Amino acid sequence: MKPKGLLIAVVLLAVLGGAVWWSNKKQAAAAKTPTDTTTKIVAIPEDQMVEIQIKHTGGDTVTLHRDNGKWQMTTPQALPVDSDAASSLTSSLSSVAADKTIEDNATDLSAYGLNTPQLDVVVTRKDGKKDELLLGDDTPTNSGTYAKRAGDGHVYTVASFVKTGLDKKPDDLRDKRLLTFDQDKLTRVELAAKGPAVEFGKNGSNEWSILKPRPLRADGTQVDSLIGKLKDAKMDLTTPDPDAAKKFAGGTRIATATVSDSSGTQTLEVRQDKDHTYFAKSSAVEGVYKIASDVGDALNKSLDDFRNKKLFDFGFSDPGKVEVKGASYTKTSDKWMSGSKTMDNSSVQNLIDKLRDLAATKFPEKGGGQPVFDATVTSNSGKRVEKVTIDKSLDQYFAQRDGEPSIYELDSKAVEDLQRAASDVKEQAPPPPTAPSKKK
């Protein structure tokens, strides 16, 4: 190779090597995790906060203090704090980031409304250190708010949600529950509304039953719904009524509910004024408050609303044995048998479904008539045996569970469908004959 050609080759090789080096360097730089350059105005671990003070210009100063992990309002009055509201507040304060830096050393704070800030939030940490955040006017586009730390010359803008998350009044933060019982530790619930007072308690299977005015089967779903409404009963502070106490005193009594758990007993009394607005007074909180109509409606119930209307308790568990009108069907593995006969599964299942759905339309004081149907269902691995007898008087059907005095009035069509299903139970059809194989 000529010297000139060799020189050109060396130069080209150097250029190519440099290009590869530069490309590799660029890719390595791009692969690095970008540094977070967001300016944090406030950064406080939530578990380090022990006191939060929110000062409103021309308004109340709200102070929350945490003791043994629980927040309590100390000013403007001593009140329990809603745990979710407190958690939301501490989350908002744990990290406040700036959208933009407006000035590095502002001397005229009035231009931003920070000389008399709309919100002055002071957080005290466990070590005694205080962090103070000032929030002034909204920006001209209303997309943010001017903010700064006390003692720092920097002025920033922060997102509008920062101000919204911190601008809390006493009613925003207080615990609005009217009853504070532990739902998992309830032992008794009493409701005095329509008719005689009803008392509920747990039976040996940890299921709700009616204890008073007399022992009765309870509809667990209805009892749980009542308890849920009592647990969620809250003060309606959206439009406070200054005459709430007066309207309560002159209102119509709707219901009184009493709940007992491991810590004691609490009572809630509900009344309704002439405009059909509900007001409540609780033993757990001072004062009278307007409440949501769904709470009042849920308490305005009678004994029959909580009674179990189903004739059978086996629910959706599979019975092991069914006896109707002298016939007996026993489940063996996945087959229903009547003695040595294999029964048609679908016809037996149809009968079971009709028994499961059998329910009272009302609870009369007395029944009567001639027996027309009886059924015994064994379930829960033989531990539950339920027997029901159905009588007919003219065109009415009445049922009674064995060992219980209650009378259940039944829908005539439901009984007729049940009788038809019992008559339709049949043996399993024999398999079709096997076709003879053809010789080749």
Side-chain angles (χ1 to χ4, degrees):
M1 182 180 288
K2 294 181 180 180
K4 186 176 181 182
L6 181 61
L7 180 61
I8 293 172
V10 170
V11 171
L12 288 174
L13 185 61
V15 170
L16 182 60
V20 170
W21 174 84
W22 176 253
S23 175
N24 290 339
K25 182 179 180 181
K26 208 173 175 186
Q27 288 177 14
K32 289 183 180 178
T33 303
T35 304
D36 183 3
T37 58
T38 303
T39 301
K40 295 288 180 65
I41 308 175
V42 175
I44 315 168
E46 291 185 54
D47 62 355
Q48 294 301 304
M49 303 179 192
V50 294
E51 187 172 273
I52 301 171
Q53 190 176 66
I54 305 172
K55 304 174 186 177
H56 299 85
T57 301
D60 289 330
T61 294
V62 183
T63 305
L64 306 185
H65 184 79
R66 180 155 59 183
D67 189 20
N68 293 324
K70 189 174 181 180
W71 287 101
Q72 179 79 13
M73 191 182 303
T74 56
T75 62
Q77 56 181 314
L79 291 171
V81 172
D82 181 271
S83 58
D84 290 338
S87 178
S88 176
L89 179 64
T90 56
S91 176
S92 296
L93 278 168
S94 65
S95 179
V96 179
D99 279 350
K100 293 180 181 179
T101 301
I102 304 301
E103 281 196 59
D104 289 328
N105 190 18
T107 55
D108 181 12
L109 297 179
S110 62
Y112 310 109
L114 289 168
N115 54 332
T116 54
Q118 295 181 21
L119 283 181
D120 183 343
V121 184
V122 181
V123 180
T124 304
R125 305 190 189 206
K126 284 182 178 179
D127 61 5
K129 180 183 176 182
K130 294 182 183 294
D131 297 79
E132 186 171 2
L133 176 67
L134 310 179
L135 296 173
D137 294 339
D138 292 338
T139 60
T141 60
N142 292 318
S143 60
T145 300
Y146 295 112
K148 71 182 295 292
R149 284 180 65 99
D152 186 347
H154 292 84
V155 172
Y156 308 95
T157 59
V158 294
S160 297
F161 64 78
V162 173
K163 185 176 181 181
T164 304
L166 301 179
D167 188 7
K168 301 301 179 185
K169 306 289 176 56
D171 284 350
D172 298 321
L173 296 169
R174 70 177 297 184
D175 188 346
K176 301 174 186 65
R177 292 177 299 164
L178 290 167
L179 296 171
T180 57
F181 62 89
D182 186 337
Q183 188 168 346
D184 295 330
K185 297 181 180 179
L186 272 185
T187 55
R188 286 288 187 275
V189 178
E190 185 175 337
L191 179 67
K194 293 179 179 179
V198 187
E199 184 178 341
F200 307 96
K202 291 288 185 75
N203 59 23
S205 302
N206 200 35
E207 297 170 334
W208 288 108
S209 61
I210 297 170
L211 305 177
K212 295 180 181 178
R214 60 187 184 277
L216 294 166
R217 295 162 64 232
D219 183 334
T221 301
Q222 291 299 320
V223 179
D224 286 338
S225 177
L226 170 66
I227 293 169
K229 287 296 183 184
L230 290 171
K231 184 68 177 174
D232 294 337
K234 294 182 179 180
M235 316 160 186
D236 183 356
L237 301 176
T238 52
T239 53
D241 191 330
D243 297 324
K246 183 178 178 181
K247 291 179 179 179
F248 177 86
T252 303
R253 179 184 166 279
I254 298 299
T256 300
T258 304
V259 293
S260 301
D261 64 6
S262 56
S263 64
T265 298
Q266 298 177 14
T267 301
L268 181 72
E269 184 177 355
V270 177
R271 298 187 182 185
Q272 192 178 52
D273 70 359
K274 59 183 179 59
D275 297 321
H276 305 293
T277 302
Y278 288 108
F279 294 89
K281 184 177 182 180
S282 169
S283 63
V285 219
E286 289 186 11
V288 173
Y289 302 92
K290 185 166 65 173
I291 61 171
S293 59
D294 64 319
V295 177
D297 293 340
L299 271 59
N300 193 15
K301 299 286 183 68
S302 68
L303 170 64
D304 285 356
D305 291 316
F306 297 100
R307 292 183 65 174
N308 190 341
K309 298 174 178 61
K310 294 282 189 178
L311 267 294
F312 290 95
D313 284 336
F314 66 85
F316 286 96
S317 61
D318 290 328
K321 187 176 182 180
V322 178
E323 300 166 85
V324 292
K325 300 175 68 174
S328 179
Y329 310 107
T330 305
K331 193 167 190 181
T332 304
S333 186
D334 61 345
K335 295 179 180 180
W336 281 99
M337 307 294 294
S338 178
S340 59
K341 298 176 183 177
T342 301
M343 307 307 292
D344 175 65
N345 275 6
S346 61
S347 64
V348 178
Q349 187 60 53
N350 183 49
L351 171 62
I352 292 171
D353 291 342
K354 292 293 186 289
L355 290 168
R356 177 186 287 119
D357 294 340
L358 201 60
T361 56
K362 61 178 71 171
F363 298 97
E365 290 299 319
K366 60 181 182 178
Q370 296 299 314
V372 294
F373 192 90
D374 63 83
T376 302
V377 178
T378 303
S379 60
N380 195 17
S381 301
K383 297 176 184 177
R384 180 192 285 126
V385 179
E386 302 175 275
K387 182 178 180 179
V388 169
T389 302
I390 301 175
D391 299 331
K392 183 177 183 182
S393 176
L394 299 177
D395 59 347
Q396 289 181 301
Y397 290 94
F398 302 99
Q400 197 165 3
R401 284 170 56 92
D402 191 38
E404 295 182 18
S406 299
I407 306 296
Y408 299 76
E409 186 171 333
L410 305 176
D411 176 73
S412 59
K413 185 177 184 304
V415 177
E416 290 160 7
D417 288 346
L418 174 62
Q419 291 174 313
R420 191 177 301 112
S423 300
D424 288 344
V425 175
K426 58 188 177 182
E427 287 187 58
Q428 179 178 288
T434 305
S437 58
K438 294 182 179 179
K439 293 183 178 181
K440 294 183 179 179

